[in-house]
């Protein structure tokens, strides 16, 4: 099987010409994207068909020949072409209703550029060669395996990072475990497993919320784009980066531990965007419990459920396991003893008490058991998605579980 894997390292560019050149690459990429988007909007306003990637590349050649834009020649052509490819992808995602309409990129937000080829890696010496930039050192915290398919350089919170995506052929693994578990994701408990264990949440944002609010208030009092404003903004970004690192480390540790311990993991197919929609309503029809719903939305987004499920899916696949998503309806209202479904079965957020048979338990434990049973039912029917479509799965895991 083919394994795609990305390695993220911190770059160590010397302060000076190299860092200025990398910033110029980011700016040129942003300029080309915005210019291409403006051209597409002009054609759309005139009733013309939007340009393809090949047509945009022809315009890029003309822009580089313009005497007013000769500075684009200093940037590697691959970087500029990849920017136009990103624009075409954004348009395609919009037309296929997977994303909103493309927006102009602003300076200081998501600064990055990408190479699809011609990148060399000197792992023994911890160096990487980037075309038109040269050799740069990076923190070689692990060995990179496989053939390099693309390299992305990004700038976040005053630091430069390089993401190296590789691909290689590996033998299909066999998971060492034969166990199957259901997981209920929540706020009071981050993850409750059907084997009786649970994982406490890290609540990275909640713990730093006061500190972040103070830093944001200081920044709001400064004159926008002044030197003091930029210093205050850097402090805000530093707090936000620490929150993100704590959450990311927690999610990786938790998903790694679960993927090592269980061959098949059943989770709910949650629509997080719908769950975290605002309850404010409109001026004509204002919502109710707006403050409470806003607090709940903040707590849900602080957990990172979507990232956790994504990490769990690929880590299970790498180890020969599989993930099964089940319909979340009534998982916390169904009694695991008598199968009775009633909204009154859950009198409080944490307590489950069946009105039919009197069974009592923790609501999260009940939900995890029901999720596990729903996963068993889908595997028995040969389905691994809530819609009933069979997903790709390691046959070894299913055969060993059936045995």
């Amino acid at each position: 099987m083919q394994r795609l894997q990305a390695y993220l390292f911190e770059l160590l560019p010397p302060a000076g010409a190299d860092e200025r050149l990398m910033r110029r690459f980011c700016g040129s990429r942003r300029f080309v994207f915005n210019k291409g988007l403006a051209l597409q909007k002009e054609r759309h306003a005139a009733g013309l068909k939007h340009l393809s990637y090949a047509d945009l590349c022809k315009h890029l050649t003309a822009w580089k020949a313009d005497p007013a834009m000769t500075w684009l020649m200093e940037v590697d052509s691959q970087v500029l072409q990849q920017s136009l490819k990103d624009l075409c992808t954004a348009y395609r995602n919009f037309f296929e209703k997977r994303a909103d309409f493309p927006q102009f990129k602003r300076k200081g937000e998501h600064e990055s550029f990408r190479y699809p080829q011609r990148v060399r890696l000197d792992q023994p010496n911890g160096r990487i060669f980037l075309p038109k930039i040269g050799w740069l050192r990076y923190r070689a915290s692990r060995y990179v395996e496989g053939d390099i398919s693309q390299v992305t350089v990004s700038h976040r919170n005053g630091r430069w990072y390089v993401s190296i995506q590789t691909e290689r052929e590996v033998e299909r693994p066999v998971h060492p475990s034969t166990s199957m578990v259901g997981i209920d994701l929540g706020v009071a408990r981050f993850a409750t497993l059907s084997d009786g264990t649970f994982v406490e949440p890290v609540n990275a944002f909640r713990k730093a919320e006061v500190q972040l609010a103070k830093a944001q208030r200081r920044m709001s009092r400064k004159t926008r784009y002044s030197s003091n404003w930029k210093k205050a903004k850097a402090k805000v970004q530093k707090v936000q980066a620490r929150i993100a690192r704590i959450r990311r480390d927690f999610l990786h540790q938790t998903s790694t531990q679960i993927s090592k311990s269980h061959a098949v993991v059943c989770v709910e197919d949650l629509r997080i965007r719908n769950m975290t929609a605002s309850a404010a309503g409109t001026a004509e029809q204002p919502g109710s419990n707006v403050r409470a719903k806003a607090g709940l939305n903040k707590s849900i987004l602080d957990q990172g459920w979507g990232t956790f499920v994504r990490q769990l899916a690929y880590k299970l696949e790498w180890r020969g396991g599989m993930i099964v998503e089940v319909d979340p309806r009534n998982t916390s209202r169904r009694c695991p003893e008598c199968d009775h479904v009633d909204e009154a079965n859950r009198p409080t957020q944490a307590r489950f008490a069946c009105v039919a048979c009197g069974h009592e338990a923790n609501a999260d434990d009940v939900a995890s058991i029901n999720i596990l049973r729903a996963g068993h039912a889908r595997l028995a029917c040969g389905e691994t998605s809530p819609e009933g479509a069979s997903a790709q799965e390691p046959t070894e895991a299913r055969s060993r579980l059936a045995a």
Side-chain angles (χ1 to χ4, degrees):
M1 61 177 288
Q2 188 179 53
R3 177 167 172 172
L4 301 178
Q5 186 171 359
Y7 300 84
L8 182 66
F9 304 104
E10 182 182 356
L11 278 175
L12 303 173
D18 289 338
E19 188 169 2
R20 288 195 298 270
L21 186 57
M22 292 163 68
R23 291 182 181 275
R24 194 175 304 161
F25 272 46
C26 292
S28 299
R29 174 190 176 277
R30 182 178 62 253
F31 173 83
V32 169
F33 182 95
N34 291 342
K35 195 167 182 62
L37 179 56
L39 181 61
Q40 296 281 39
K41 284 189 171 184
E42 290 176 3
R43 294 181 60 86
H44 180 73
L48 301 175
K49 184 179 179 182
H50 69 279
L51 297 172
S52 65
Y53 170 67
D55 294 331
L56 286 172
C57 286
K58 294 178 182 178
H59 281 275
L60 175 60
T61 304
W63 297 339
K64 294 167 72 173
D66 189 339
M69 293 184 282
T70 54
W71 46 270
L72 288 175
M73 299 291 291
E74 302 176 7
V75 182
D76 190 80
S77 59
Q78 297 180 91
V79 171
L80 304 180
Q81 291 168 1
Q82 291 298 303
S83 180
L84 295 177
K85 186 169 289 187
D86 291 341
L87 175 60
C88 294
T89 301
Y91 260 90
R92 183 168 61 252
N93 290 337
F94 168 72
F95 289 129
E96 296 178 1
K97 299 182 178 180
R98 292 197 299 265
D100 296 331
F101 192 82
Q103 301 293 323
F104 289 107
K105 294 185 178 297
R106 302 196 327 181
K107 183 178 180 180
E109 294 184 1
H110 310 293
E111 298 282 21
S112 64
F113 55 91
R114 185 171 68 250
Y115 292 99
Q117 56 186 355
R118 301 208 323 262
V119 175
R120 287 179 286 168
L121 199 61
D122 180 13
Q123 297 199 65
N125 296 312
R127 301 188 306 165
I128 185 170
F129 177 80
L130 304 177
K132 286 204 173 182
I133 294 180
W135 288 100
L136 295 176
R137 301 191 65 84
Y138 67 93
R139 295 190 186 276
S141 56
R142 59 190 304 192
Y143 186 79
V144 177
E145 298 182 76
D147 299 325
I148 298 176
S149 59
Q150 67 179 24
V151 169
T152 302
V153 178
S154 58
H155 184 255
R156 301 194 303 270
N157 305 307
R159 298 183 180 182
W160 291 94
Y161 298 91
V162 58
S163 176
I164 305 172
Q165 182 173 315
T166 64
E167 54 185 20
R168 68 182 189 272
E169 289 292 331
V170 297
E171 295 183 1
R172 185 174 290 278
V174 177
H175 203 285
S177 175
T178 59
S179 64
M180 183 173 178
V181 70
I183 298 180
D184 175 61
L185 299 176
V187 175
R189 293 178 176 180
F190 172 75
T192 303
L193 282 65
S194 57
D195 59 5
T197 62
F198 62 89
V199 180
E200 292 286 354
V202 68
N203 294 329
F205 176 80
R206 287 294 189 184
K207 293 178 180 178
E209 188 174 11
V210 175
Q211 183 183 3
L212 179 61
K214 289 182 179 179
Q216 289 174 333
R217 280 196 298 270
R218 294 192 189 100
M219 186 181 74
S220 67
R221 298 188 184 107
K222 304 295 188 295
T223 302
R224 195 171 179 83
Y225 300 117
S226 65
S227 297
N228 287 335
W229 180 86
K230 291 179 181 178
K231 294 177 184 177
K233 182 181 179 181
K235 292 182 179 179
V236 171
Q237 292 176 332
K238 184 177 180 180
V239 177
Q240 291 173 333
R242 183 163 57 84
I243 293 172
R245 287 197 302 270
I246 293 173
R247 183 187 296 121
R248 183 168 57 248
D249 180 70
F250 168 76
L251 295 177
H252 271 298
Q253 289 193 30
T254 306
S255 58
T256 298
Q257 180 61 37
I258 293 176
S259 64
K260 287 181 177 179
S261 304
H262 304 283
V264 178
V265 177
C266 306
V267 297
E268 294 175 304
D269 183 28
L270 299 174
R271 298 291 186 264
I272 301 175
R273 177 174 293 184
N274 297 340
M275 294 173 62
T276 56
S278 174
T282 62
E284 296 77 13
Q285 296 181 344
S288 59
N289 298 325
V290 177
R291 183 179 294 274
K293 184 63 168 64
L296 176 61
N297 292 348
K298 191 182 297 185
S299 297
I300 291 175
L301 294 174
D302 191 18
Q303 306 307 316
W305 292 343
T307 302
F308 173 73
V309 173
R310 178 185 60 81
Q311 292 177 357
L312 199 58
Y314 77 75
K315 290 178 182 181
L316 281 167
E317 182 183 2
W318 286 355
R319 292 181 170 88
M322 59 183 295
I323 191 168
V324 179
E325 293 186 333
V326 303
D327 194 333
R329 287 178 296 182
N330 297 322
T331 53
S332 60
R333 299 176 180 177
R334 185 184 302 276
C335 178
E337 297 295 329
C338 66
D339 211 33
H340 177 71
V341 178
D342 196 322
E343 184 177 355
N345 284 351
R346 193 169 182 177
T348 65
Q349 183 67 26
R351 180 169 170 263
F352 181 91
C354 181
V355 296
C357 68
H359 174 70
E360 294 189 10
N362 183 280
D364 294 335
D365 291 332
V366 170
S368 63
I369 294 173
N370 289 328
I371 292 170
L372 175 62
R373 291 180 177 179
H376 273 295
R378 294 210 169 273
L379 287 179
C381 297
E383 301 174 356
T384 57
S385 65
E387 293 76 14
S390 296
Q392 295 181 355
E393 68 222 17
T395 56
E396 293 87 345
R398 290 192 59 184
S399 61
R400 287 185 294 116
L401 282 168

